[in-house]
Amino acid sequence: MWWIYALLSALFASLTAIFAKIGITNVNSNLATAIRTIIILIIAWGIVLARGEAKGLSTLSKHNLIFLVISGIATGLSWIFYFKALQIGKVSQVAPVDKLSVALTIVLSVVFLGEALTIKTAIGALLIIAGTAVMIF
């Protein structure tokens, strides 16, 4: 079932790039990111509240909160840089380079989370890196 959610994520990520490129025409990229963030905030909290999942707030540990805050900061910085790149670059170049995050995530998951690196995964990551290099140079 995870792969269905992953495919939906990929679909909506691609739509994000297209809609964002259209939406940031003659708009400051930081302002555009802030507007987008408000929409995401409303949708995410709407889902949490509608499903009665807010009660989980009381079970969060300090460790959970610290890493969720750090993750939020990383997400915010990612969005700010992504929107700036979209504003000045072509979607067909920015989006694939942004997906270098897949290869970086594989490497970081091995280093920080101790996940196993299979030959298949390593080859996939190297191909992503090579593809990104082709897009940049």
Side-chain angles (χ1 to χ4, degrees):
M1 188 69 181
W2 65 266
W3 61 272
I4 293 173
Y5 291 116
L7 286 173
L8 288 169
S9 174
L11 170 66
F12 284 105
S14 67
L15 290 173
T16 296
I18 301 302
F19 296 149
K21 181 65 175 182
I22 296 167
I24 60 173
T25 304
N26 301 320
V27 176
N28 176 282
S29 62
N30 293 327
L31 176 60
T33 303
I35 292 168
R36 174 185 168 193
T37 303
I38 290 170
I39 301 305
I40 294 167
L41 181 72
I42 292 167
I43 291 171
W45 275 106
I47 292 169
V48 166
L49 295 173
R51 294 179 53 119
E53 297 167 343
K55 61 186 172 211
L57 283 171
S58 63
T59 65
L60 294 175
S61 69
K62 185 176 180 180
H63 182 264
N64 295 137
L65 288 172
I66 289 169
F67 281 95
L68 288 173
V69 166
I70 294 170
S71 174
I73 292 168
T75 299
L77 290 171
S78 171
W79 292 352
I80 287 167
F81 293 127
Y82 183 70
F83 265 53
K84 189 63 176 177
L86 277 178
Q87 191 171 51
I88 60 179
K90 295 179 180 178
V91 173
S92 60
Q93 292 174 318
V94 172
V97 172
D98 176 65
K99 297 312 172 202
L100 178 61
S101 64
V102 173
L104 294 173
T105 301
I106 291 168
V107 171
L108 294 175
S109 72
V110 171
V111 172
F112 292 110
L113 302 177
E115 292 186 2
L117 180 63
T118 65
I119 190 72
K120 185 176 166 182
T121 304
I123 291 170
L126 289 173
L127 288 171
I128 292 168
I129 293 167
T132 301
V134 168
M135 298 298 293
I136 294 173
F137 304 110

